[in-house]
Amino acid sequence: MNKRFFSASRLMGAMLCLMLALTAFTSCREDDDKDAARFTSGVISMSPATDITHNSAVIVLNIASGEVLNMYEKYNVRVWTVDEETKEETNVYNETFTSPKELVQKIELADLLPQTTYNYQATAYTTIGTQTVEYRTAIATFTTPSLEAEEEEGISEGEFIDLGTGVEWASCNLGATSPEQNPNFYACNDDAVKAELGTTLRLPTEDEIMALVDKCKWTWYEHNGVWGYRVASTITGKSIFLPAAGIYAAGVASGAGVQGYYWIDNAGLDENATTARAFNFTQGWNNVFNSYPLYSGLSVRPVKK
C-alpha cells in the first residue's frame, strides 16, 4: 500500500516538473506570487455566477477530486472590479482556503454595486522543491442588474427566497408547486397544515409579516394570469408572489383575484378561542391583521425553520 502511494506521488511529481519545464514562465521564486509559474489546469474550476441581484451573487469553487484536494497547499478566490478609465483593479473579495475540507466551496457575495461588472478567478498553489507553482482558472465575469431592471424580471426562482427579513420564505403557498397556485384552503391549526409543514417549515409570525411590509416593495401584480402582490426586497432584490386567492367560508369561496388571506402563527392560541389572527390584503391595502373564525379557509405561506 505504501509502495503504491509512493510511486503515485513520484509520478505526479514528475508530471508537475514536466509541466513546469514547458511553461513560458522561467522565473518562479518561492513565496513570490507575482513571478510564480502559472498554469490553467483541470484541478480547479469556477462555476458560472448564480443568484445575481443588484447587490449580491453566488460563485462556486470546484476542486476536481479528493486526491487533488490533498495535493495543493492552498486555494485562493479573488473577485474584483476594473476602473474603465484608470484600469485600476479593486478587490471586493480575496479569500485563501488553506485547509479546505470540501470539494465545493460556495461563496456568497454581498454589498455589491448595481450595474457593475465583476471579475473572478481561482488559483491553486503547490510547491515543487523550492518553487511555488500556481494553477489558475480563466477569468470569468458577471454583471449586476439595476434595481429597476431587477424589479421587472418577475419572481425569484428557488424553493426558499431570502428577502432580507431574517427568515427564508417559501416561494409557493402550502400545497402549491408554482407561486400563483393556491390549491387548498386551511383552517387555523388544522392537522393537515401541521402534516404538510412537516419538520422543515412553519407559519410566519406577525412580526415576520410586518418585516415584509417594512423592508419590501409591494406591487399589485399579475403572475401567470393570477392577481396578487409581488413582494420585492429592498435589501436583497429578490421577490416572492402572494396570490390573492380569497377566502373559503360557510361553504363558499370568494374574493379570488381581489383579496388575500393568510394565517400567521397561532400556536399559543387559548384552547377556548373561536377566532385567530391572520394577515389580509387587497389592492393598495397590504398591512392589515384581523381575527377570523378558526374554521375559515385561508391560504398559508410557510417560512423555513
Side-chain angles (χ1 to χ4, degrees), residues 268-274 294:
L269 203 62
D270 185 273
E271 61 181 12
N272 296 318
T274 58
L294 295 180

Side-chain angles (χ1 to χ4, degrees), residues 20-271:
L20 182 61
L22 293 175
T23 181
F25 291 86
T26 58
S27 175
C28 48
R29 298 189 298 274
E30 184 178 15
D31 298 326
D32 188 345
D33 288 348
K34 180 179 179 181
D35 293 325
R38 306 190 221 351
F39 302 94
T40 297
S41 172
V43 300
I44 55 173
S45 63
M46 294 293 293
S47 300
T50 61
D51 297 333
I52 302 170
T53 73
H54 72 285
N55 65 355
S56 64
V58 174
I59 58 176
V60 176
L61 166 65
N62 302 290
I63 302 172
S65 68
E67 184 178 355
V68 171
L69 183 66
N70 298 320
M71 191 175 297
Y72 297 87
E73 292 99 16
K74 58 184 179 180
Y75 303 84
N76 174 267
V77 175
R78 185 168 78 102
V79 182
W80 70 97
T81 58
V82 179
D83 187 281
E84 293 185 2
E85 294 183 0
T86 65
K87 305 304 178 184
E88 181 180 354
E89 296 181 358
T90 301
N91 286 344
V92 297
Y93 181 91
N94 190 12
E95 185 74 20
T96 298
F97 306 94
T98 55
S99 299
K101 304 298 183 183
E102 303 293 336
L103 296 178
V104 175
Q105 303 290 328
K106 182 179 178 182
I107 299 161
E108 298 181 353
L109 303 171
D111 299 323
L112 303 181
L113 297 174
Q115 295 181 287
T116 302
T117 296
Y118 291 88
N119 307 281
Y120 60 101
Q121 185 178 47
T123 307
Y125 299 86
T126 191
T127 301
I128 302 175
T130 61
Q131 298 171 331
T132 298
V133 182
E134 301 176 4
Y135 294 81
R136 292 187 176 182
T137 66
I139 296 174
T141 65
F142 67 88
T143 301
T144 53
S146 67
L147 180 59
E148 293 74 19
E150 192 170 77
E151 289 178 347
E152 295 174 358
E153 290 180 355
I155 308 303
S156 298
E157 296 182 356
E159 185 178 0
F160 296 101
I161 310 299
D162 178 11
L163 298 175
T165 61
V167 66
E168 292 185 67
W169 290 82
S171 59
C172 304
N173 282 358
L174 192 64
T177 57
S178 61
E180 74 278 4
Q181 292 180 348
N182 188 75
N184 302 313
F185 292 99
Y186 299 93
C188 180
N189 293 339
D190 194 332
D191 288 340
V193 174
K194 298 175 184 177
E196 290 192 45
L197 288 174
T199 60
T200 60
L201 303 173
R202 63 173 176 81
L203 272 72
T205 65
E206 185 166 335
D207 286 344
E208 288 167 342
I209 291 284
M210 283 308 301
L212 282 188
V213 174
D214 295 337
K215 298 180 179 180
C216 297
K217 179 180 178 180
W218 290 62
T219 305
W220 191 248
Y221 188 83
E222 185 179 21
H223 184 65
N224 292 337
V226 175
W227 285 97
Y229 267 109
R230 181 182 186 274
V231 183
S233 172
T234 58
I235 300 172
T236 67
K238 297 183 179 181
S239 59
I240 60 174
F241 178 71
L242 296 175
I247 186 172
Y248 186 86
V252 177
S254 61
V258 179
Q259 295 176 308
Y261 299 81
Y262 286 80
W263 287 121
I264 63 172
D265 182 10
N266 283 279
L269 203 62
D270 185 273
E271 61 181 12

Side-chain angles (χ1 to χ4, degrees), residues 1-10:
M1 185 70 174
N2 291 337
K3 183 178 180 180
R4 287 167 56 190
F5 178 79
F6 177 72
S7 298
S9 299
R10 291 186 61 183

